[in-house]
Amino acid sequence: MLTAISGGIGCGKTIVSRIVMAMGYPVYDCDSRATEIMNTDPEIKRSIAADIHPDCVRADGMIDRKRLSEIVFSDYEALQRLNAIVHGAVRKDLASWYGEQGDVCAFVETAILYQSGIDRMVDEVWEIDAPLDLRVERVMARNGFSREHVLARISSQESFEVQERHSNVRIISNDSISPLLPQIERALNV
């Protein structure tokens, strides 16, 4: 069984993923894998330089994540072009990773479940939820972004119209009030 741990930036996907990993379950992190794929695949780098902006690929051949995010989170069309470049590669990598896991319950952490098409690959979705103000505060503290930059990222993630939500969704509240571990244990039926 493959379960998505999903939700927008600052909701707490990573803390839920870390708890699940500490419990012994494998977790595929879409953000870190996408970064690795973008930094190692020459065709993806060429496409990003050509279709997004040449400044997004540094002289040393690595992706300039800061510059890339500045561009795509202020330009919806650029974000769509980036998604078209990266999502297929991530889905292929996820499928390969999942095939290597054997007969275990595994998880995939993703901020953009439906935009990436990963919703069609999973059996269940854990939607991590947190109040907007708390999400903004978390991201500002963690990344040093301005409030406006965080709100632009949230807006770009939430602007996607989901045609059909996954049929098996559980809500996990990460509001700094409701303890996470009991919610995770209930979702795992332990």
Side-chain angles (χ1 to χ4, degrees):
M1 180 165 160
L2 182 60
T3 299
I5 298 172
S6 187
I9 188 170
C11 69
K13 296 177 303 299
T14 301
I15 191 68
V16 171
S17 292
R18 288 180 181 160
I19 292 170
V20 167
M21 280 191 287
M23 296 172 84
Y25 297 95
V27 177
Y28 180 98
D29 177 0
C30 282
D31 282 349
S32 65
R33 296 295 295 167
T35 298
E36 184 176 331
I37 292 166
M38 288 188 325
N39 279 329
T40 58
D41 186 314
E43 184 56 39
I44 288 179
K45 289 182 206 180
R46 277 192 292 280
S47 296
I48 289 171
D51 297 341
I52 309 298
H53 197 282
D55 289 350
C56 294
V57 180
R58 300 186 318 226
D60 65 1
M62 300 302 278
I63 300 294
D64 184 336
R65 303 270 301 167
K66 185 173 190 273
R67 180 70 177 126
L68 182 61
S69 71
E70 287 170 356
I71 292 170
V72 299
F73 290 113
S74 64
D75 179 348
Y76 181 76
E77 294 301 319
L79 179 60
Q80 295 310 306
R81 290 191 305 273
L82 177 65
N83 288 343
I85 293 166
V86 177
H87 289 327
V90 171
R91 284 192 309 271
K92 182 178 176 184
D93 189 61
L94 170 60
S96 174
W97 174 88
Y98 183 54
E100 296 168 0
Q101 300 311 306
D103 192 23
V104 299
C105 181
F107 293 83
V108 53
E109 179 185 337
T110 178
I112 51 176
L113 175 69
Y114 296 98
Q115 299 94 315
S116 65
I118 291 174
D119 62 303
R120 295 184 301 273
M121 298 176 70
V122 299
D123 303 294
E124 180 177 50
V125 174
W126 290 4
E127 186 70 36
I128 315 305
D129 188 40
L132 178 63
D133 287 340
L134 182 57
R135 292 173 59 194
V136 171
E137 288 174 23
R138 287 174 179 164
V139 177
M140 287 172 61
R142 178 185 73 205
N143 297 72
F145 293 155
S146 69
R147 180 173 191 76
E148 294 74 26
H149 184 79
V150 176
L151 289 171
R153 280 190 146 190
I154 290 171
S155 176
S156 73
Q157 287 178 345
E158 294 177 353
S159 66
F160 183 80
E161 287 286 326
V162 177
Q163 299 302 317
E164 186 176 334
R165 298 196 73 71
H166 198 280
S167 62
N168 192 6
V169 177
R170 295 176 188 261
I171 305 296
I172 295 180
S173 178
N174 187 19
D175 57 9
S176 297
I177 297 168
S178 309
L180 282 173
L181 187 57
Q183 295 178 77
I184 292 168
E185 288 174 333
R186 276 192 302 275
L188 288 169
N189 296 317
V190 289

